[in-house]
């Protein structure tokens, strides 16, 4: 192997190690799709597991900031959308502009719970199946007051059960990743 080849291979190896974290995510047809590197080192492993499984089941995760998705921009009253899942189209958006890594990760996990709720009734429809009965009550009773207040003030009553489950598990990334993995087909 000549010197040029050795230097070139060394450079490629170095770039392959450095560049992924610097350029997090990837482009498809001009859209930035997220990967684990978009969530910082403290969340990379679980984010990668979630996004890889979501991609495997056909749910891409778009970066709302890098794709300039208008719904991700702050509203006049200062409120903002952190992310959303569209069950009728099977894609997710995580809003990133001005939102710290911890909240972005929480949003990814929250929206992944909605994907699991969609999978319960089949991914090829637009319905989410939330918890019922004693399980719902256990989750609702376990929510911090500020999360319960957020649900009752920001969501229609018909959506409370799916939101209770999503808010309950949003800080439990590995639990949600393990559950999502069970739904792969």
């Amino acid at each position: 192997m000549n010197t040029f080849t050795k230097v070139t291979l060394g450079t490629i190896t170095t770039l392959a190690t450095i560049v992924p974290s610097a350029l997090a995510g990837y482009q498809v047809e001009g859209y930035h799709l997220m990967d684990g590197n978009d969530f910082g080192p403290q969340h990379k492993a679980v984010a990668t597991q979630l996004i890889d499984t979501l991609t495997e089941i056909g749910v891409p995760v778009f970066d709302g900031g890098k794709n300039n998705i208008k719904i991700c921009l702050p509203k006049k009253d200062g409120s903002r959308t952190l992310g959303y899942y569209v069950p009728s189209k099977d894609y997710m958006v995580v809003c990133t502009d001005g939102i710290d890594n911890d909240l972005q990760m929480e949003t990814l996990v929250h929206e992944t719970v909605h994907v699991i709720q969609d999978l319960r009734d089949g991914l090829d429809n637009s319905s989410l199946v939330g918890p019922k009965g004693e399980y719902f009550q256990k989750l609702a009773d376990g929510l911090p007051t500020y999360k319960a207040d957020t649900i009752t003030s920001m969501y229609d009553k018909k959506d409370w059960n799916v939101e209770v489950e999503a808010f309950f598990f949003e800080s439990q990334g590995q639990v949600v990743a393990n559950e999502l993995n069970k739904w792969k087909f």
Side-chain angles (χ1 to χ4, degrees):
M1 190 180 304
N2 66 33
T3 303
F4 176 76
T5 304
K6 287 179 184 176
V7 170
T8 302
L9 288 174
T11 303
I12 290 171
T13 302
T14 301
L15 287 174
T17 306
I18 297 169
V19 171
S21 58
L23 297 178
Y26 54 99
Q27 296 282 323
V28 174
E29 295 181 15
Y31 292 100
H32 182 84
L33 294 170
M34 300 182 90
D35 69 16
N37 292 309
D38 286 296
F39 293 88
Q42 72 277 25
H43 300 300
K44 182 179 177 180
V46 174
T48 297
Q49 187 178 359
L50 285 167
I51 292 173
D52 287 353
T53 305
L54 288 165
T55 301
E56 198 174 325
I57 64 174
V59 177
V61 180
F62 293 94
D63 183 322
K66 291 182 181 165
N67 290 311
N68 297 315
I69 296 174
K70 287 185 173 123
I71 198 168
C72 289
L73 297 174
K75 295 167 186 61
K76 289 179 183 179
D77 66 2
S79 67
R80 65 183 318 149
T81 299
L82 298 176
Y84 56 94
Y85 170 63
V86 181
S88 61
K89 304 276 187 194
D90 299 320
Y91 72 87
M92 182 187 303
V93 172
V94 176
C95 301
T96 58
D97 279 351
I99 299 173
D100 70 52
N101 263 327
D102 292 338
L103 195 50
Q104 288 176 28
M105 183 64 186
E106 217 171 73
T107 302
L108 172 67
V109 175
H110 178 109
E111 299 308 327
T112 300
V113 172
H114 291 316
V115 173
I116 293 168
Q117 293 166 341
D118 193 15
L119 286 163
R120 289 177 184 152
D121 197 34
L123 201 59
D124 295 327
N125 62 47
S126 59
S127 65
L128 302 180
V129 177
K132 294 176 175 58
E134 288 180 28
Y135 178 60
F136 170 78
Q137 196 58 52
K138 178 183 173 188
L139 297 178
D141 291 344
L143 277 181
T145 303
Y146 77 95
K147 288 186 179 188
D149 290 346
T150 298
I151 294 168
T152 58
S153 67
M154 295 186 67
Y155 295 93
D156 291 334
K157 191 170 185 169
K158 68 178 178 53
D159 297 325
W160 287 1
N161 71 332
V162 295
E163 292 304 331
V164 162
E165 187 175 34
F167 274 94
F168 184 87
F169 286 105
E170 69 187 6
S171 62
Q172 300 177 51
Q174 190 60 60
V175 170
V176 172
N178 294 343
E179 181 65 20
L180 180 63
N181 198 47
K182 294 176 187 176
W183 288 94
K184 287 191 318 189
F185 40 91

Coordinates of all heavy atoms in Angstrom, one line a residue, residues 64 68-75 79-84 93 95:
G64 N -37.7 19.6 12.7 CA -38.6 20.7 12.4 C -37.8 22.0 12.3 O -38.2 22.9 11.6
N68 N -37.3 24.0 8.6 CA -38.1 25.2 8.6 C -39.6 25.0 8.6 O -40.3 25.6 7.9 CB -37.7 26.1 7.4 CG -36.3 26.6 7.5 OD1 -35.8 27.0 8.6 ND2 -35.5 26.5 6.4
I69 N -40.0 24.0 9.4 CA -41.4 23.7 9.5 C -42.1 24.8 10.4 O -41.7 25.0 11.6 CB -41.6 22.3 10.1 CG1 -41.0 21.3 9.1 CG2 -43.1 22.0 10.4 CD1 -41.0 19.9 9.6
K70 N -43.0 25.5 9.8 CA -43.6 26.7 10.4 C -44.3 26.4 11.8 O -44.2 27.2 12.7 CB -44.6 27.4 9.5 CG -43.9 28.0 8.3 CD -44.8 28.8 7.4 CE -44.0 29.6 6.5 NZ -44.2 29.4 5.1
I71 N -44.9 25.3 11.9 CA -45.6 24.9 13.2 C -44.6 24.9 14.3 O -45.0 25.0 15.5 CB -46.4 23.6 13.1 CG1 -47.4 23.6 14.2 CG2 -45.5 22.4 13.1 CD1 -48.5 22.5 14.0
C72 N -43.3 24.7 14.0 CA -42.3 24.7 15.1 C -41.9 26.1 15.6 O -41.2 26.2 16.6 CB -41.1 23.9 14.6 SG -41.4 22.1 14.4
L73 N -42.2 27.1 14.9 CA -41.8 28.5 15.3 C -42.7 28.9 16.5 O -43.8 28.6 16.6 CB -42.1 29.4 14.1 CG -41.2 29.1 12.9 CD1 -41.6 30.1 11.7 CD2 -39.7 29.3 13.2
P74 N -42.1 29.7 17.4 CA -42.8 30.2 18.5 C -44.0 31.1 18.0 O -43.9 31.8 17.0 CB -41.8 31.1 19.2 CG -40.5 30.7 18.7 CD -40.7 30.2 17.4
K75 N -45.1 31.0 18.8 CA -46.3 31.7 18.4 C -46.2 33.1 19.1 O -45.4 33.3 19.9 CB -47.5 30.9 18.9 CG -47.7 29.6 18.2 CD -48.7 28.7 18.9 CE -48.8 27.4 18.3 NZ -47.6 26.6 18.3
S79 N -46.0 30.6 23.2 CA -46.0 29.2 23.3 C -45.4 28.6 22.0 O -45.2 29.3 21.0 CB -47.5 28.7 23.4 OG -48.2 29.1 22.3
R80 N -45.2 27.3 22.1 CA -44.6 26.7 20.9 C -44.9 25.2 20.9 O -45.2 24.6 21.9 CB -43.1 26.9 20.8 CG -42.3 26.3 21.9 CD -40.8 26.6 21.8 NE -40.3 26.5 20.5 CZ -39.3 27.2 20.0 NH1 -38.7 28.1 20.8 NH2 -38.9 27.1 18.8
T81 N -44.9 24.6 19.7 CA -45.1 23.2 19.5 C -43.7 22.6 19.6 O -42.7 23.0 19.0 CB -45.7 22.9 18.1 OG1 -46.9 23.5 18.0 CG2 -45.8 21.4 17.9
L82 N -43.6 21.5 20.4 CA -42.3 20.8 20.6 C -42.1 19.7 19.6 O -41.0 19.3 19.3 CB -42.2 20.3 22.0 CG -42.2 21.4 23.1 CD1 -42.2 20.7 24.5 CD2 -41.1 22.4 22.9
G83 N -43.2 19.2 19.1 CA -43.1 18.1 18.2 C -44.5 17.5 18.0 O -45.5 17.9 18.6
Y84 N -44.6 16.6 17.0 CA -45.9 16.0 16.7 C -45.7 14.7 15.9 O -44.7 14.6 15.2 CB -46.9 16.9 16.0 CG -46.4 17.6 14.8 CD1 -46.7 17.0 13.5 CD2 -45.6 18.7 14.8 CE1 -46.2 17.6 12.3 CE2 -45.2 19.3 13.6 CZ -45.5 18.7 12.4 OH -45.0 19.3 11.2
V93 N -42.3 14.8 13.7 CA -41.4 16.0 13.6 C -41.0 16.3 15.1 O -41.9 16.3 16.0 CB -42.2 17.2 13.0 CG1 -41.4 18.5 13.1 CG2 -42.5 16.9 11.5
C95 N -39.3 19.5 16.9 CA -38.9 20.9 16.8 C -37.6 21.1 17.6 O -37.5 20.7 18.7 CB -40.0 21.8 17.3 SG -41.6 21.6 16.4

